[in-house]
Amino acid sequence: MSESHPLLTFFTAAADGCFPPADGQVTVLPPLAGGLECSVAFTGHAVIATALTSRAVHAQKPDGFGASLAPDFLRHLAGPKGWIDVTDATLTARGTGGPPRLAELTGADDHPRVRHARELRTNVKVHGDERGLVTLSDGLAGRRELSIELHNVQDGSQGHGRSLLADALSLVPEAHPVFAAVSPGNARSLRAFLACGFTPIGSEVLLRPERG
């Protein structure tokens, strides 16, 4: 998904505080690379990247007020046997640049976080230290994406997520936008991202359709 896609314009504009109109409407775009599709919800407006025609999408009556992420609509979008990922909150922040504060790691390909990144993203780089690891990659619509995972999530790791995220932002050039998809139910992770300056801009679901 490293190739730029029209959806990237929506993400970069949202990172600058410019959002589509909150008109309840749905914008339909071409599918993503690699056989993937998605449904992205901003405030009052949805953007769907799919191989289905705009007419076929609108016939299911999605809207920008939440229906574009409804389970029945997503199942229709994916087809009866298609893969539907979880719904994530979409967050964005700016890189801090400067000397990288995390070393690049080798030999981490077997880690579940890294395997997941390589299945869905391109140009995946892995960094980290004793606190945990960070993946930096080209993801949805070609945007730069960051994710983290701590090695230890017990009480002794309190504050490690925030410090690791702060260091991870040094891997992104100063003022360049970077994005993260975080499960809303992972409250600890969500709090860490918010504390490090990430701003919520919407929510998203990835799909790999199988429509027969």
Side-chain angles (χ1 to χ4, degrees):
M1 289 192 296
S2 59
E3 211 173 299
S4 182
H5 183 277
L7 178 57
L8 182 61
T9 302
F10 286 85
F11 287 132
T12 54
D16 289 330
C18 299
F19 293 88
D23 54 9
Q25 298 301 306
V26 176
T27 298
V28 180
L29 299 176
L32 305 166
L36 293 171
E37 301 188 1
C38 68
S39 181
V40 178
F42 297 101
T43 299
H45 196 97
V47 182
I48 297 168
T50 178
L52 294 176
T53 66
S54 179
R55 181 176 181 178
V57 171
H58 288 290
Q60 299 301 310
K61 298 184 178 179
D63 61 40
F65 300 128
S68 65
L69 295 178
D72 286 346
F73 174 71
L74 294 176
R75 176 47 63 196
H76 175 82
L77 204 60
K81 296 183 179 179
W83 169 78
I84 302 173
D85 200 6
V86 299
T87 301
D88 282 325
T90 311
L91 311 176
T92 188
R94 299 281 174 175
T96 57
R101 298 202 294 270
L102 290 171
E104 188 169 351
L105 300 180
T106 58
D109 288 352
D110 287 338
H111 192 283
R113 172 73 62 179
V114 178
R115 288 202 306 267
H116 181 72
R118 295 194 189 283
E119 286 172 1
L120 298 174
R121 305 176 184 112
T122 58
N123 299 324
V124 179
K125 301 293 184 183
V126 185
H127 300 258
D129 56 21
E130 71 281 354
R131 294 168 296 178
L133 60 79
V134 172
T135 64
L136 194 62
S137 55
D138 294 334
L140 180 54
R143 69 188 185 187
R144 202 63 176 148
E145 291 185 9
L146 181 156
S147 70
I148 70 167
E149 184 159 321
L150 298 181
H151 294 318
N152 183 353
V153 294
Q154 305 306 316
D155 291 340
S157 66
Q158 188 171 2
H160 285 185
R162 297 182 187 188
S163 64
L164 187 61
L165 266 176
D167 288 345
L169 288 175
S170 72
L171 306 173
V172 181
E174 184 177 3
H176 284 220
V178 65
F179 298 86
V182 181
S183 170
N186 190 348
R188 180 182 292 183
S189 179
L190 190 58
R191 289 196 302 268
F193 275 88
L194 295 176
C196 288
F198 280 79
T199 301
I201 58 171
S203 56
E204 61 189 59
V205 176
L206 270 175
L207 310 101
R208 184 176 282 110
E210 187 176 335
R211 302 188 180 102

